Amino acid sequence: GVGPSDASPDEGVVEDLPLIDEKAVEQLTEGLISYYLPDLQRSKSALQELTQNQVVLLETLEQEISKFKECNSILDIDALFSEAKQYHNKLVNIRNEMMMLHEKTSKLKVSVINI
């Protein structure tokens, strides 16, 4: 006959499992959330602050870079002006030399005529 030894090994296991208390699960979940949430919120605000700081830093860097670019262009302009000054001085010297040459040649002409 069918004795207790013939029973399926799985039989009775289902009854052994404790019933899952949904209320307990809910309370555990809430407990875990309330335990970890403040840390997560702190992390979130720290990350937001970090991101804002990075944005500010990037903007500042961009401003500094544009200042450097302006400085470079100003330096270029300075170089241009100093070059222009040098060329102007050269031109003045050439003009003076030409005037001297002109005076010399006119003197020579006068002396040639007087011969």
Side-chain angles (χ1 to χ4, degrees), residues 48-87:
Q48 282 173 336
E49 198 178 321
L50 192 64
T51 307
Q52 283 170 344
N53 288 346
Q54 281 180 331
V55 168
V56 170
L57 189 65
L58 280 172
E59 284 172 1
T60 310
L61 273 173
E62 279 172 12
Q63 286 171 2
E64 291 302 311
I65 287 168
S66 66
K67 277 185 199 169
F68 275 118
K69 282 181 183 170
E70 281 173 28
C71 282
N72 275 345
S73 63
I74 288 166
L75 285 174
D76 289 347
I77 290 167
D78 281 349
L80 200 66
F81 273 120
S82 62
E83 264 182 55
K85 242 184 203 170
Q86 285 173 354
Y87 285 123

Side-chain angles (χ1 to χ4, degrees), residues 5-112:
S5 59
D6 296 338
S8 155
D10 290 339
E11 254 179 57
V13 171
V14 175
E15 288 113 48
D16 291 345
L17 278 177
L19 285 171
I20 293 167
D21 184 354
E22 285 184 21
K23 185 80 178 156
V25 170
E26 202 175 295
Q27 284 174 339
L28 275 171
T29 308
E30 279 175 18
L32 276 171
I33 288 172
S34 65
Y35 180 77
Y36 285 112
L37 199 62
D39 278 344
L40 286 170
Q41 281 170 336
R42 274 194 293 275
S43 298
K44 185 185 175 185
S45 63
L47 280 171
Q48 282 173 336
E49 198 178 321
L50 192 64
T51 307
Q52 283 170 344
N53 288 346
Q54 281 180 331
V55 168
V56 170
L57 189 65
L58 280 172
E59 284 172 1
T60 310
L61 273 173
E62 279 172 12
Q63 286 171 2
E64 291 302 311
I65 287 168
S66 66
K67 277 185 199 169
F68 275 118
K69 282 181 183 170
E70 281 173 28
C71 282
N72 275 345
S73 63
I74 288 166
L75 285 174
D76 289 347
I77 290 167
D78 281 349
L80 200 66
F81 273 120
S82 62
E83 264 182 55
K85 242 184 203 170
Q86 285 173 354
Y87 285 123
H88 175 72
N89 291 339
K90 281 183 184 177
L91 282 170
V92 167
N93 289 339
I94 290 169
R95 191 188 71 179
N96 289 343
E97 281 175 29
M98 284 179 79
M99 282 173 76
M100 278 168 56
L101 280 171
H102 179 71
E103 277 176 35
K104 281 182 183 176
T105 51
S106 53
K107 279 180 187 173
L108 271 173
K109 276 181 190 171
V110 168
S111 60
V112 167

